[in-house]
Amino acid sequence: MRELKISDAHFKTSTGYAYGDIGREKLDELFAKIFHAESALVRTQFVSGTHALATVLFGILRPNDEIVSLTGEPYDTMQTVIGYKNPSAGSLKEFGINYRELDLIGGKVNFSEIKNFVGKKTKIALIQRSRGYSMRDALKISDIEKICAEVKKINPHCITFVDNCYGEFVEKFEPIEVGADIIAGSLIKNIGGGLAPTGGYIVGKKNLVELSSYRLTAPGMGDELGASLGTPRLLYQGLFFAPHVTAQALKSAIFAAGIFSKLGYKTSPAPDEIRGDIIQAIEIGMPEKLIKFCRAIQNFSPVDSFAAPEAWDMPGYEDKIIMAAGTFVQGASIELSADGPIRPPYAVYLQGGLTFEHAKIAILKTAEIIGKKI
Ligand SMILES: *Cc1c(COP(=O)(O)O)cnc(C)c1O
């Protein structure tokens, strides 16, 4: 922030087309610098992480292109975007884009098979850093480095694209530094620091970010429009807080792993394992208890503590999902939150925590309510 001379002037709001919005331009520059990338597109016009990720795919892919997932089944909403597991209106499949996925082996990336799997004509290799709603491990930055190297060995033109959700600032390095061409994520997870009110980001090679920008706005317009409507200071200040808030979330996750493994539940990661994201999965084993867990986290949250979450058909998801998010920013999962699909093994995914102090209270109270594994 010092090097780029961030100033009060960058926090001014813009309206209308917002041509020449220096706050928007500087924030893009700042994200590019932090990620060691050529270019960035940071916008509250992205409605979510899925929107930012889909913008990259629709921005770059053309009919008959192929995309492959190298980390098994993608996150639930991304499967809907791709449209292969189940048909979905407006999906990549409807636009004639081909898709294959390389299965994980025992929850790990099948590194040795990548060279046989990525083809000469594969346009994008999708790499998901976080576990999503699965019991697999999050990737480490060293895993991402290995995957990118394998892909480039076979096909130097294949674009390595990392779904960076929940991974930001967990490790010292970020995907672009180890060979990813483009990455995307949500501003209401790690990198918004709990202050960003909405939005997403795309960071990477200049030409790829530019193609994505034509999909976010319109061909020819790209990154040169987009009013900030009062949000800039929150995005800058949230970014400033983000490394610390991510550390609070990690500490909370480790604490939860410790408590719930003592109570007999399978936790992933284990309390002493090295982490690649802020997610703590806990195998609860029973749907009723999973719901009870989410309700307990909700009840010990600062906002809407009186509400009882219900599993529902969330847009973009195939299974019913229950989400506890007693959060200041609706559904922000950098704030303490717990969620999961109602499907075996009935695992709950706990993440976030703006302050460890709050997370500790909520986790202890939840442990009291849930009790030992039976
Ligand atoms: C959160 C997440 C997304 C995007 O989810 P949104 O709710 O749309 O922001 C995508 N991939 C993974 C792995 C995620 O964890």
Side-chain angles (χ1 to χ4, degrees):
M1 285 179 169
R2 286 166 55 230
E3 274 175 43
L4 294 186
K5 294 194 164 67
I6 303 305
S7 156
D8 181 57
H10 297 123
F11 307 155
K12 299 259 182 311
T13 191
S14 62
T15 56
Y17 300 121
Y19 295 123
D21 177 340
I22 59 166
R24 184 188 65 216
E25 290 167 3
K26 198 62 149 186
L27 190 63
D28 286 349
E29 209 182 322
L30 187 57
F31 265 66
K33 186 166 189 73
I34 285 167
F35 283 108
H36 298 260
E38 292 172 7
S39 183
L41 187 67
V42 186
R43 293 293 183 281
T44 51
Q45 279 83 13
F46 287 119
V47 300
S48 69
T50 304
H51 184 197
L53 290 155
T55 301
V56 171
L57 297 177
F58 281 96
I60 295 172
L61 293 165
R62 297 292 177 268
N64 300 318
D65 279 349
E66 180 186 68
I67 169 174
V68 298
S69 163
L70 298 180
T71 44
E73 278 194 355
Y75 187 67
D76 298 55
T77 58
M78 294 310 294
Q79 291 186 25
T80 309
V81 168
I82 294 164
Y84 265 78
K85 196 167 167 195
N86 294 296
S88 51
S91 67
L92 289 174
K93 188 175 183 191
E94 284 197 343
F95 286 85
I97 286 146
N98 302 303
Y99 172 76
R100 292 181 297 131
E101 70 194 20
L102 181 59
D103 293 331
L104 300 173
I105 299 186
K108 307 263 182 243
V109 176
N110 190 350
F111 289 107
S112 60
E113 194 53 28
I114 292 175
K115 59 179 178 298
N116 303 318
F117 195 77
V118 171
K120 286 282 167 231
K121 295 203 301 203
T122 306
K123 183 89 162 268
I124 292 184
L126 176 64
I127 302 159
Q128 184 181 302
R129 186 169 175 186
S130 185
R131 65 170 61 239
Y133 287 140
S134 84
M135 289 304 280
R136 73 139 162 114
D137 293 339
L139 300 188
K140 308 292 185 308
I141 283 292
S142 55
D143 297 323
I144 295 174
E145 182 168 27
K146 245 164 88 182
I147 298 171
C148 292
E150 285 294 316
V151 170
K152 297 290 178 180
K153 234 185 334 194
I154 267 323
N155 178 357
H157 301 295
C158 179
I159 296 159
T160 45
F161 173 35
V162 174
D163 173 348
N164 208 33
C165 283
Y166 290 131
E168 303 91 352
F169 301 143
V170 170
E171 293 196 62
K172 227 171 188 158
F173 297 98
E174 291 291 331
I176 302 281
E177 294 166 90
V178 296
D181 293 312
I182 188 161
I183 66 175
S186 166
L187 294 188
I188 62 168
K189 294 180 179 175
N190 307 20
I191 202 156
L195 281 185
T198 186
Y201 71 91
I202 296 170
V203 174
K205 293 242 160 78
K206 192 169 187 304
N207 61 325
L208 302 177
V209 174
E210 188 179 330
L211 283 171
S212 307
S213 77
Y214 296 139
R215 178 69 197 202
L216 168 64
T217 60
M221 313 223 147
D223 66 355
E224 296 186 63
L225 293 82
S228 61
L229 305 176
T231 56
R233 196 260 305 166
L234 296 170
L235 303 192
Y236 281 96
Q237 197 174 0
L239 178 62
F240 176 75
F241 276 135
H244 177 72
V245 171
T246 302
Q248 295 292 291
L250 275 171
K251 201 167 156 178
S252 306
I254 293 165
F255 182 75
I259 296 285
F260 284 97
S261 59
K262 278 211 165 97
L263 289 173
Y265 296 94
K266 184 182 169 201
T267 69
S268 174
D272 57 354
E273 238 174 292
I274 307 264
R275 285 162 191 263
D277 66 6
I278 64 165
I279 309 294
Q280 182 60 52
I282 305 164
E283 250 185 61
I284 300 294
M286 292 190 280
E288 305 77 24
K289 232 174 168 181
L290 164 60
I291 292 168
K292 214 165 156 184
F293 186 108
C294 292
R295 289 188 175 165
I297 290 291
Q298 181 83 31
N299 290 159
F300 289 96
S301 295
V303 181
D304 293 331
S305 60
F306 48 86
E310 298 272 358
W312 65 297
D313 293 307
M314 289 183 66
Y317 293 84
E318 280 294 325
D319 296 288
K320 278 200 179 343
I321 308 278
I322 183 159
M323 286 204 175
T327 53
F328 293 92
V329 170
Q330 191 194 77
S333 43
I334 188 58
E335 301 185 46
L336 185 69
S337 46
D339 42 68
I342 309 294
R343 67 178 179 228
Y346 304 106
V348 71
Y349 299 83
L350 178 82
Q351 64 273 314
L354 294 180
T355 69
F356 176 62
E357 293 84 348
H358 164 240
K360 185 174 172 183
I361 295 168
I363 289 162
L364 284 174
K365 292 290 186 188
T366 302
E368 247 175 66
I369 290 165
I370 292 299
K372 285 200 176 102
K373 168 127 181 144
I374 34 170

